[in-house]
Amino acid sequence: MAEFDLIVQIQSYFPHSRDDTHLGIGDDGAVIQSAGALTVVTDTLVEGVHFFPTVAAADLGWKSLAVNLSDLAAMGAQPAWALLNLTLPRDDVEFVAEFSRGFAELAQQFAVELVGGDTTQGPLSVTVTAMGHQPSHPLCRSGARPGDHLFVSGELGAAAWACQTLYREQTPDHKALVCLLKPQPRVELGLRLVALATAAMDLSDGLGADIKHMLKASSRGSRQTLGADIQLQQLPTAAAMTNLSDEQRWSLQLHGGDDYELLFTLPEEALQQLPLIQQETGLTLSCIGRVSDQAGVRYWRPDGHLWTTPKTGYEHFKENAS
Ligand code: ADP
Ligand code: MG
């Protein structure tokens, strides 16, 4: 089967579905319509780096779109279109069918239309670009201010726990495995936060690393050095992880990554809206600490002492850095 036949097969999973798509897969370019601003995001998943070689093709399809929709959610955008650049070791029909099925399942959930891409031969890697309508101003990382309350959606650490269990060649807890393989992008929450949050980002590298990115951007935004105080006992924890020691759990929650939950900051006056947003989105939103005008991130143990964390989040090229 040639490249063209693979494209036809992919296309069969993505019928034209949006009024604001004028031209989708099949020509030299796609033509889309936007009345206002568009937000554009992209992410690459590489075999052996972002996923195990044994991953099911449908799960890979889902996740390659999910990580992009999570970025759109963090910006407060409404997802609309995607492009798929697929590099495959060989023309594996069954793989492409399953991959497309998983991708299409999530795309349908958010009315996302796949409007193009590229198909090449090489080591397995997937790059997705997603675009969304930005209804009003974007939700940026740079707006956090001292005194703002720090929140996260859902639970932290379950995906990392499943990943660690797989590395040990053991069977992970089923729910934790679903968090790793099929993360649910928090699109509705992002849309609701646009009018309320001072800053937001999605958690992909682990809270410990990602919060530094938010504080750095917000320090630039406010022209003052910002820090944060995090209460470790308030980190939301999946039931499967309650048997771990505190240190093991905190370590996974801060440094594991792959959570795809939203981290956001709320000023005092926005707190009263929380019960309604939790009800509307069906998500638990946990206050984990506050932004401070004292530089650095401090992790407070339940006994009131500081916890010195052993390491930071995942960073590509880090081991090669001098
Ligand atoms: P060109 O050579 O003009 O770049 P291609 O032959 O690569 O075009 O692609 C033909 C059409 O198929 C284009 O509309 C392109 O966007 C689409 N396409 C190619 N690969 C994919 C893919 N993996 N997913 C979705 N659309 C694809
Ligand atoms: Mg062309």
Side-chain angles (χ1 to χ4, degrees), residues 117-134:
D118 202 10
T119 308
T120 51
Q121 191 168 12
L124 181 59
S125 125
V126 188
T127 299
V128 172
T129 303
M131 288 157 280
H133 295 290
Q134 194 65 56

Side-chain angles (χ1 to χ4, degrees), residues 3 7 10 24-29 84-86 114-119:
E3 175 194 333
I7 296 171
I10 293 170
I25 296 173
D27 215 305
D28 291 309
L84 167 63
N85 291 29
L86 201 50
L114 184 71
V115 291
D118 202 10
T119 308

Side-chain angles (χ1 to χ4, degrees), residues 9 13 56-59 61 93-103:
Q9 201 193 11
Y13 284 84
D59 290 341
V93 188
E94 210 170 306
F95 180 93
V96 167
E98 276 300 287
F99 180 95
S100 301
R101 190 176 61 77
F103 192 112

